[in-house]
Amino acid sequence: MDAAFLDVIELNPVRSQTAFEKGLQKSLESEEEANQSTGRFARMRSRIAKLVRSLTASSVPLALIDSEPAWIAGTKNQENALRPVYRSYPRQSAWIDAATLDLLAVSAAKFSLFYTPVLLLRWLQCNQRIKRTFKKSFRIYLRTYGIYIAGRYWLKKSRPGCVILSNDHVGTYCALNQAAQDEGIPTVYIQHACVAAHFPTLKFDYALLDGRDAFDKYGTSTRTKVFLTGIAKYDHTQRVETCLSLSGDGQGSAIGVCFNLLDDFQYTTRMLEQLRSDFAGRKILARLHPATPPSHREAVGQLCADLDICISDSRAEDSFGFLARVGVLVCGASSIVLEAALMGVPSVLHYSSEIGDVYGFVKQGLSRHAKSLDAIAREIDDLDHQPRRVLAEKAEYFCAGCGQADRPAAATLAADLIAHLCQATEPSGWRKTDDSYYEWKAEGEEG
């Protein structure tokens, strides 16, 4: 009955907030491309088959461990964020991957079907702008009801100590967060990437945020206890003392170019052709977002072959491996700018749309901004001769503790906090600030 009163649009803010709408269209391209490759009747048969499997699917896709964390990572980026903390956790706990979530979705299908009339009523009550999202997201909205019900049943049977998520705005994860809270199970949020100011307010019980930047953008939440732990997946990158020793030694090094889901093929073509023209004898590595639709990926691959540009496959090589091979980075709005700074790699941003400096990297001095394609070469030439100590110094705002050599690793701090949460004990070493978040203070440190 509780599910009938869910605001599934609120649980899918990426589908309903204006700032997310363009990203929605791009994020659905791969799914749409797959749908177009099969006929309508084939798709219908597939959905009926899934519903039939749902009738006999297990309601417990994976046995969770009583009073211990349940780690939910449905994508590669989420896994990269959570895995270091999971490995640092002192006891056995349950890891829930994309395959397990798929099993849960199959089980949830039979519940979703009954909420079709409820969703249609919700559609009638919406304004015209939100009604437009139903055209591409009806099945996603409908699935949210089923995920919530199946999630509550699963958690009721298993009773983990807490549920840990690394996404705050996509329906499946929002529904599981709501299901856990309604079952009285604490929820923990760990970022998997930098956030923008248009992200929704935090609705978790606890949030282990990257740094002050994330806290400032999310704002104070009366229901979420916030700790600035730093970024666990960066623990193995160069420490600040290494970055401080770097000087302007980028001359002749490879240029890395990253594209995200909002960059169309025409923009990608212009960017790569411009860079190859400006740097005829210099090695260039191109890297696409892991979720790039196959047709776009193939077209870029052919273009790179024609231009003698190497490719870094983001599905196989992680960002740190990529950054270790380049001396300067060119990209649009992407969290990889912060990763580059922590690796001592300077960056130049050039935007393919009106999105602009959503992460604040240019504003905070972490990256350069080129206003045109022609200007990118000038920025790269200048960065080749600039010392790089400023990168490590500026990164502290985004990654708490990255400039403190004696601070425990972010994964260690996060795992310790989660262990105390599951045992209902108070962690030590954390002090509440006047801004109502908790920061790490070493024993004997003032302030």
Side-chain angles (χ1 to χ4, degrees), residues 78-325:
Q78 292 174 29
E79 179 180 354
N80 290 341
L82 297 186
R83 185 70 76 173
V85 188
Y86 169 78
R87 289 174 179 155
S88 298
Y89 188 74
R91 297 183 297 276
Q92 185 179 4
S93 54
W95 182 266
I96 300 161
D97 58 13
T100 306
L101 289 177
D102 286 343
L103 292 176
L104 180 67
V106 170
S107 175
K110 57 180 174 288
F111 301 119
S112 296
L113 185 63
F114 291 105
Y115 287 88
T116 304
V118 178
L119 186 57
L120 289 173
L121 179 61
R122 185 77 177 89
W123 172 75
L124 291 173
Q125 296 171 334
C126 290
N127 62 40
Q128 288 301 316
R129 183 182 65 80
I130 295 181
K131 279 183 178 179
R132 288 196 299 269
T133 71
F134 277 75
K135 183 177 180 180
K136 291 185 177 293
S137 306
F138 186 86
R139 286 186 292 113
I140 297 172
Y141 286 139
L142 191 60
R143 184 171 60 197
T144 302
Y145 291 108
I147 292 291
Y148 171 79
I149 297 172
R152 284 199 66 171
Y153 186 84
W154 183 20
L155 295 170
K156 187 188 293 289
K157 287 286 186 180
S158 300
R159 305 301 304 179
C162 67
V163 170
I164 302 169
L165 298 145
S166 192
N167 184 287
D168 64 336
H169 59 264
V170 172
T172 293
Y173 309 103
C174 293
L176 288 172
N177 177 57
Q178 187 68 52
Q181 291 180 332
D182 289 346
E183 286 297 324
I185 298 171
T187 60
V188 181
Y189 170 61
I190 297 177
Q191 285 176 250
H192 73 266
C194 290
V195 298
H198 61 258
F199 276 43
T201 302
L202 291 173
K203 296 180 181 178
F204 302 84
D205 295 303
Y206 300 87
L208 312 186
L209 299 184
D210 294 352
R212 180 61 192 256
D213 167 72
F215 178 81
D216 288 345
K217 288 172 179 172
Y218 277 123
T220 303
S221 170
T222 56
R223 66 184 299 174
T224 305
K225 192 173 184 178
V226 174
F227 295 83
L228 303 189
T229 57
I231 310 175
K233 66 179 179 180
Y234 295 166
D235 284 339
H236 70 284
T237 63
Q238 300 178 48
R239 283 298 203 182
V240 62
E241 57 268 21
T242 306
C243 291
L244 289 176
S245 68
L246 294 173
S247 58
D249 57 359
Q251 301 176 59
S253 60
I255 299 171
V257 194
C258 292
F259 300 98
N260 60 37
L261 293 176
L262 297 178
D263 298 323
D264 60 27
F265 182 63
Q266 288 72 27
Y267 170 79
T268 304
T269 300
R270 293 196 303 272
M271 169 74 80
L272 293 176
E273 289 178 342
Q274 183 74 46
L275 287 172
R276 177 45 76 211
S277 174
D278 291 334
F279 300 95
R282 195 160 171 175
K283 185 177 181 179
I284 300 174
L285 278 75
R287 182 178 174 89
L288 298 176
H289 190 281
T292 300
S295 60
H296 189 178
R297 187 178 297 277
E298 291 171 7
V300 173
Q302 184 58 57
L303 174 65
C304 288
D306 294 341
L307 295 174
D308 190 26
I309 291 174
C310 301
I311 291 181
S312 166
D313 187 348
S314 57
R315 299 165 300 179
E317 180 181 44
D318 68 20
S319 55
F320 301 110
F322 165 70
L323 290 166
R325 298 198 285 146

Side-chain angles (χ1 to χ4, degrees), residues 372-385:
S372 67
L373 289 175
D374 292 336
I376 294 175
R378 294 194 294 273
E379 295 293 348
I380 291 176
D381 288 337
D382 187 50
L383 286 172
D384 281 344
H385 298 84

